[in-house]
Amino acid sequence: MDLIVARNRTDLLKARGDGPVALVPTMGALHEGHRSLIREARARAAQVVVSIFVNPLQFGPHEDFSRYPRTFDADLEVCEVEGVDVVFAPSAEDMYAPDRQVSVRAGEMGRIVEGAARPGHFDGMLTVVLKLFNLVRPDVAVFGQKDAQQLAMIRRMVADLDLDIEIIGAPTVREPDGLALSSRNRYLSAPDRQVALALSRALAAGAERATPSKVLAAARAVLDEAGPALDLDYLVLVDPATFAEVDESHSGAAVLAVAARVGATRLIDNVVVSLGR
Ligand code: AMP
């Protein structure tokens, strides 16, 4: 079957089949991480829809919306190779009516950790994801653990708004040296990229410890070694479902999450830590 490119909602309606559909929402500039999500989707449904939409609603006024990488032709090739059935790539005008009023509010969980650093980000993200769910009507949707709080917030939305969609979390794909793949990595100069490696190294060091204070101290020590070229935004150890910081008595799984600016590029990464072993 040839890849169908739907540039608006009318085309999408025509392209959607009657059988099970798996959706992979993306902002394009597709890399190996996105490809792993597409393969997860492929294994789960007869029809795979990849959305490519750089959602203006989830960027703050001083963030990188205008310079976010847009590589549409290359993205289509990736989708073709991966056996995607439909690419849904609407325009902002097609997604958002000028007189629109109603949107999704992420709640308190949307205002902590990444949400504290990016006010309004999770409201905008959930709003577009709910719209994509309503337009594509998938049975399954696949998201990366790379954006762990996003994944947790989507699970929360599905539970709170009674959406009948199975949410799959897929593991983070990394470069051989540990750097988590990200569309924003292409902004990094060679020296910046070396600095950025401290993020995954810090997470790996933290994951070897078994109590919250030791996890955080081990990770912090690696980040400190990177020096002033790494501008740390946060390093937190949180509950995977709520993103509330865990206390010293916590046992079981926790997410060690980090965000930092390297040059002009803001990077995030996380790893699941097993506490109390
Ligand atoms: P984005 O295009 O960056 O908005 O990401 C689209 C989807 O790909 C999200 O569900 C991300 O969590 C996921 N993703 C991004 N980077 C990676 C990665 N390195 N490994 C796995 N999934 C990823």
Side-chain angles (χ1 to χ4, degrees), residues 46-232:
Q47 192 177 40
V48 174
V49 178
V50 171
S51 62
I52 298 179
F53 181 61
V54 186
N55 174 31
L57 242 55
Q58 71 189 65
F59 287 79
H62 305 295
E63 293 184 0
D64 59 348
F65 174 71
S66 56
R67 67 179 196 115
Y68 194 84
R70 288 161 172 89
T71 60
F72 192 61
D73 292 341
D75 292 348
L76 289 187
E77 274 175 41
V78 168
C79 289
E80 189 104 52
V81 169
E82 293 297 338
V84 170
D85 300 288
V86 180
V87 166
F88 177 46
S91 66
E93 291 70 32
D94 199 58
M95 286 298 274
Y96 297 119
D99 58 347
R100 69 188 192 88
Q101 298 284 319
V102 179
S103 58
V104 180
R105 284 188 57 196
E108 184 50 34
M109 196 179 152
R111 290 191 284 274
I112 56 175
V113 193
E114 186 68 2
R118 303 184 67 187
H121 168 69
F122 286 119
D123 294 359
M125 180 278 292
L126 290 178
T127 299
V128 81
V129 168
L130 183 60
K131 285 170 69 74
L132 290 168
F133 284 174
N134 287 332
L135 289 164
V136 176
R137 287 175 289 112
D139 300 86
V140 179
V142 187
F143 295 87
Q145 176 68 29
K146 160 79 167 39
D147 298 278
Q149 192 173 358
Q150 166 172 288
L151 176 58
M153 293 256 33
I154 287 163
R155 290 193 194 284
R156 200 62 254 171
M157 176 170 77
V158 164
D160 291 349
L161 301 184
D162 306 302
L163 306 181
D164 188 15
I165 298 170
E166 185 187 358
I167 303 300
I168 308 292
T172 301
V173 177
R174 297 176 180 281
E175 302 276 11
D177 60 10
L179 185 71
L181 293 189
S182 162
S183 303
R184 291 185 170 98
N185 287 354
R186 69 190 67 206
Y187 301 145
L188 296 170
S189 66
D192 283 353
R193 196 186 174 289
Q194 277 306 114
V195 175
L197 280 179
L199 264 62
S200 53
R201 288 200 184 124
L203 298 177
E208 285 176 9
R209 305 291 193 274
T211 66
S213 54
K214 287 184 177 157
V215 167
L216 288 165
R220 169 75 65 161
V222 177
L223 294 171
D224 285 348
E225 279 167 28
L230 189 141
D231 180 9
L232 184 65

